[in-house]
Amino acid sequence: MTSTPLCPTAPATPAALPPLGMALLTAALCLPLAPLAQAESQPERGSITLKYLDYKDSQPGWNRIWVHAPSVAVLAPVGENWSVAGSLVSDVLSGASPAYHAEPNPFKIHEHRKAGDFTVTRYLPRGTFALGASYSTESDYVSRGITAQGSFASEDKNTTFSGGLGLTSDQINPNNKVVVNERKNITDLMVGVTQVLSPNDIAQLNLTYVHGTGYYSDPYKLLDNRPRNRNQTAMLLRWNHHLDSTDGTTRLSYRYYTDTYHVKAHTLTAEYVQPLASGWTLTPMLRFHTQGAASFYVEADGSGYPVLPPDYAPGRIVSEDQRLSAFGAFTYGLKVAKQLDKDWSMDVKVEQYQQNGAWRVFGTGSKNIAPFDARMIQLGVSRLF
Amino acid sequence: MSIAAPATLFHTPFEAMASRCEVKLNAPTAAAAQRYADLAIAEVKRIEHAYSRYRPDSVVSRINAAAGGKSAVLCDAETVSLLDYAGSLFAMSDGLFDITSGVLRQAWNFKQAKVPSPSRLKPLLDLVGWARVERDGARIRLPQAGMELDFGGFGKEYAADRAAAVLMDVGVTQGYVNLGGDMRVIGPQPDGSPWAVGIQDPRRAGQVIATIPVSSGALATSGDYERFFEHKGRRYCHILNPHTGYPVAHWQSVSVLAPLSITAGSCTTIAMLKAADGAAFLAQTGLMYLTIDAHGQFGQPPA
């Protein structure tokens, strides 16, 4: 073997190349050798996913609502640049929701809801455009919606802007005939930006504005009468960080929410995705939510009855809905997923939710409501085709 | 700043583009290394499939199948950029780097070791000519039935650059992509020293005649030893001059060090095709190179 005749420190690019060298390099640099971050692209394979959700909520001494919901979702690429997606869910709900605050409603409900949605997505070199429709029906509630969404990536594909518009029209006919043929119409707008910060970091900011008019009250709650206009604004900030040391990913998010009912809420979520050997992935999750009460929320007294304003008269705006009270809530979750082979995967997700007025931060929580727990178990199996 | 512990580099060999290939890379864990290597390999195979002449659904096959027909074939953005690149190289090589010249291989059977007659070559030479290819934006049309495009002249080098880009994108900073000897270096060895890339001895198979230290960029070599036969004392190799239809004969091998694999590979091919003028061409590029002429003499850039 001859020793190298080249200077051992020969750089790949001399400081300045003569015109021919520059021309050769420039020609090559016109090739797509750098668009490394990928714009959202058409899925290469379709998938079908079956899920089964079992949800149960309770408060001390009372199991409130039980929901069993099987669902199926299909996603399929069509041609070179399109995909279609659809899902169907059928849920059966049984139990009773509170009559007011956390007081048991004597009327048991058994409700069967069927819902479906369908989305068509067009993939462009630097963006996507999607149109969707949804429909849901149960004995007292019919909801119809349409959505349009788009995304557009910068030339280096490190920044993606997205936007969406949705229109929903609901028709409400409570079984107790408190109201007949009520309506609720909702328009929602979303704008967002996603930025790749480094090979290991991606951040997203989404702003959502929802304008709604119509019947917002709960017909099965006594005295419940809410404003017919509700505008909601939310800001969501997300940050995903990949850890080279463990090959895991942290997902942190913060959401601020406010609406014209004067509910203000903060939600912090932390998830950690850890891939393990043999196709296993573990994802523990912790979420904390805290909110202030709606301005027309009426507190409960020590025996569980609403404390109505002294000048209360029928028709006045009031609500005793626990969801509009001031509280803090924790959600703990764990998802275990396993890739079985190149086509099949399955997962199990368990979440436990605990809500308590005493846990509110940035103010005092609503008093005299029983703590509220919910537990959710979801099984999923998915196949690529 | 702490002193980094010597990181382990992970090595993954694979087969693609009818060559022995490998990636070597740094990664936090073996699982991550496998994931990164899979991404790089998938990118190489994607390009192999997209530009294969042997797959009827590839864009190259669609263009070739439409040769002589009425309608032009609409290409995707990546193919358009590769066609633009081929056009640039055609201009810079005085028409010697011609991606329509693959059709000449029909006359050269390296297994039978038979030199074709001029009458066998003539009709094939009539099918060669990038200058006659009609292009209109993203549409391309080969004007004559039998004309063919062949991206083999730079497909492997392009794949090496793309695979390296994929790896750099996921954070790989050390290692290289080697596609059958086309070497694209991502970063130096863990101790900071360059990779010693061996150059094949053109007359002794499996022997290394020189090693080139490479910390970044790409090293490519073209030689008359890759596929050839000898007939009446003369060597006929696989690199065919698109003007004469005959193999080039001036250099045993040409190696070029360039920032990109596709640039290095294109320069070695053009230098082989330019024969005696190849040295002047290489000198004009300003890139580092090593030539071995028909007598086994080394050549490198003038001091």
Side-chain angles (χ1 to χ4, degrees):
Chain A
M1 179 181 136
T2 314
S3 69
T4 168
L6 281 183
C7 158
T9 55
T13 324
L17 284 174
L20 179 60
M22 281 310 295
L24 283 159
L25 206 50
T26 307
L29 289 173
C30 295
L31 291 167
L33 296 175
L36 305 171
Q38 295 290 310
E40 192 183 349
S41 56
Q42 184 201 29
E44 287 185 3
R45 302 174 70 188
S47 62
I48 180 162
T49 303
L50 295 173
K51 290 211 153 140
Y52 181 78
L53 170 77
D54 181 297
Y55 169 95
K56 192 172 74 169
D57 60 33
S58 59
Q59 62 188 61
W62 178 31
N63 282 333
R64 282 163 44 164
I65 297 286
W66 201 316
V67 179
H68 305 269
S71 66
V72 58
V74 178
L75 169 69
V78 176
E80 302 239 315
N81 298 310
W82 296 84
S83 73
V84 293
S87 73
L88 292 172
V89 59
S90 160
D91 49 48
V92 175
L93 177 151
S94 54
S97 59
Y100 43 85
H101 295 117
E103 291 308 301
N105 192 319
F107 303 106
K108 296 287 179 221
I109 45 175
H110 185 87
E111 197 54 78
H112 186 189
R113 186 178 74 102
K114 284 162 281 191
D117 64 68
F118 185 77
T119 306
V120 178
T121 304
R122 161 84 180 164
Y123 298 85
L124 303 162
R126 274 169 58 188
T128 61
F129 187 72
L131 288 174
S134 62
Y135 182 78
S136 138
T137 177
E138 54 201 297
S139 68
D140 55 356
Y141 210 109
V142 175
S143 178
R144 297 175 183 83
I146 52 170
T147 59
Q149 280 182 27
S151 70
F152 182 75
S154 64
E155 193 159 0
D156 64 9
K157 299 191 178 146
N158 283 332
T159 310
T160 304
F161 301 95
S162 53
L165 171 69
L167 301 172
T168 312
S169 173
D170 298 349
Q171 206 173 342
I172 305 148
N173 276 300
N175 301 325
N176 58 12
K177 311 278 187 210
V178 170
V179 290
V180 178
N181 270 336
E182 268 292 2
R183 292 267 177 184
K184 182 160 78 181
N185 292 307
I186 291 171
T187 305
D188 58 87
L189 282 165
M190 186 279 287
V191 289
V193 59
T194 306
Q195 176 70 44
V196 177
L197 301 171
S198 80
N200 285 356
D201 295 276
I202 186 163
Q204 185 178 58
L205 175 69
N206 277 349
L207 299 174
T208 312
Y209 178 76
V210 181
H211 169 72
T213 58
Y215 186 72
Y216 273 94
S217 306
D218 183 337
Y220 303 108
K221 280 189 168 30
L222 300 174
L223 312 177
D224 199 72
N225 185 19
R226 308 182 195 187
R228 293 185 69 88
N229 285 302
R230 188 181 199 185
N231 297 334
Q232 299 159 286
T233 309
M235 181 202 75
L236 174 67
L237 190 59
R238 292 204 278 203
W239 173 40
N240 290 1
H241 174 68
H242 181 80
L243 293 157
D244 286 336
S245 53
T246 61
D247 205 20
T249 301
T250 56
R251 297 179 185 158
L252 299 174
S253 73
Y254 166 72
R255 181 174 183 267
Y256 175 73
Y257 168 93
T258 182
D259 66 18
T260 49
Y261 287 5
H262 298 106
V263 174
K264 286 185 171 49
H266 306 265
T267 310
L268 275 169
T269 305
E271 275 185 326
Y272 177 69
V273 185
Q274 178 64 59
L276 300 168
S278 313
W280 290 93
T281 305
L282 283 184
T283 310
M285 183 273 277
L286 177 64
R287 175 179 299 137
F288 177 69
H289 174 92
T290 183
Q291 71 174 49
S295 55
F296 52 87
Y297 172 78
V298 291
E299 296 276 343
D301 68 15
S303 53
Y305 287 100
V307 185
L308 291 172
D311 56 348
Y312 177 80
R316 188 183 162 130
I317 301 287
V318 289
S319 176
E320 336 82 17
D321 190 338
Q322 192 164 11
R323 286 168 293 189
L324 295 175
S325 68
F327 64 87
F330 286 94
T331 309
Y332 326 90
L334 178 67
K335 181 177 170 183
V336 180
K338 162 106 171 127
Q339 189 74 37
L340 299 168
D341 63 15
K342 67 182 176 44
D343 297 329
W344 289 90
S345 59
M346 60 183 299
D347 60 80
V348 179
K349 187 159 82 172
V350 179
E351 284 183 8
Q352 178 75 32
Y353 173 86
Q354 294 187 314
Q355 176 180 323
N356 195 317
W359 293 343
R360 177 172 182 212
V361 295
F362 309 126
T364 34
S366 300
K367 295 186 183 62
N368 302 322
I369 313 183
F372 169 72
D373 285 12
R375 117 41 214 103
M376 186 273 279
I377 300 172
Q378 184 175 263
L379 305 174
V381 56
S382 183
R383 185 187 198 289
L384 297 175
F385 57 84
Chain B
M1 190 175 141
S2 61
I3 295 167
T8 321
L9 293 194
F10 297 91
H11 180 244
T12 309
F14 63 101
E15 295 269 338
M17 301 189 163
S19 306
R20 291 234 296 265
C21 305
E22 56 176 335
V23 292
K24 195 155 196 161
L25 53 87
N26 62 322
T29 61
Q34 189 59 53
R35 199 154 49 79
Y36 298 166
D38 288 346
L39 289 172
I41 294 166
E43 179 63 6
V44 170
K45 301 221 157 149
R46 180 188 72 80
I47 294 165
E48 178 177 19
H49 288 177
Y51 298 105
S52 166
R53 289 182 300 125
Y54 307 106
R55 289 175 59 100
D57 56 340
S58 76
V59 63
V60 171
S61 295
R62 284 196 290 121
I63 295 167
N64 292 346
K70 282 209 173 80
S71 55
V73 175
L74 183 64
C75 303
D76 61 280
E78 184 179 33
T79 304
V80 168
S81 69
L82 285 166
L83 292 169
D84 289 344
Y85 180 74
S88 299
L89 283 212
F90 181 81
M92 282 186 264
S93 64
D94 304 319
L96 285 169
F97 192 105
D98 189 330
I99 64 166
T100 65
S101 64
V103 69
L104 293 170
R105 273 196 303 261
Q106 293 174 14
W108 292 91
N109 186 321
F110 292 90
K111 285 192 185 118
Q112 292 180 353
K114 191 158 168 276
V115 178
S117 65
S119 61
R120 172 83 179 96
L121 282 171
K122 176 71 177 66
L124 295 174
L125 282 168
D126 290 343
L127 295 171
V128 177
W130 174 258
R132 291 196 289 135
V133 171
E134 295 163 18
R135 294 196 57 202
D136 176 16
R139 292 180 186 278
I140 184 167
R141 178 178 170 269
L142 304 179
Q144 194 177 341
M147 280 185 85
E148 284 179 10
L149 292 191
D150 180 1
F151 284 35
F154 51 69
K156 197 145 56 83
E157 291 86 346
Y158 175 62
D161 284 328
R162 288 282 307 186
V166 164
L167 292 176
M168 289 189 284
D169 189 42
V170 294
V172 172
T173 54
Q174 297 166 340
Y176 57 78
V177 176
N178 174 11
L179 303 185
D182 284 314
M183 187 84 155
R184 171 67 195 275
V185 171
I186 294 165
Q189 301 197 52
D191 63 5
S193 61
W195 297 98
V197 183
I199 290 180
Q200 155 84 45
D201 185 327
R203 290 297 173 263
R204 289 181 299 164
Q207 300 284 307
V208 171
I209 199 167
T211 57
I212 311 281
V214 187
S215 289
S216 68
L219 184 75
T221 300
S222 290
D224 66 1
Y225 53 85
E226 289 166 57
R227 255 181 304 142
F228 69 95
F229 65 85
E230 289 189 342
H231 180 73
K232 294 184 180 169
R234 201 182 148 184
R235 173 180 290 239
Y236 296 90
C237 78
H238 73 293
I239 301 172
L240 303 173
N241 182 308
H243 299 157
T244 65
Y246 277 83
V248 296
H250 190 81
W251 305 106
Q252 290 183 2
S253 87
V254 174
S255 303
V256 171
L257 185 62
L260 295 169
S261 184
I262 195 162
T263 307
S266 301
C267 289
T268 63
T269 307
I270 293 172
M272 290 292 287
L273 289 164
K274 284 198 169 248
D277 295 334
F281 170 84
L282 290 172
Q284 279 175 42
T285 65
L287 298 168
M288 302 305 295
Y289 63 86
L290 173 65
T291 55
I292 304 173
D293 70 13
H295 309 291
Q297 297 294 308
F298 288 118
Q300 52 180 309

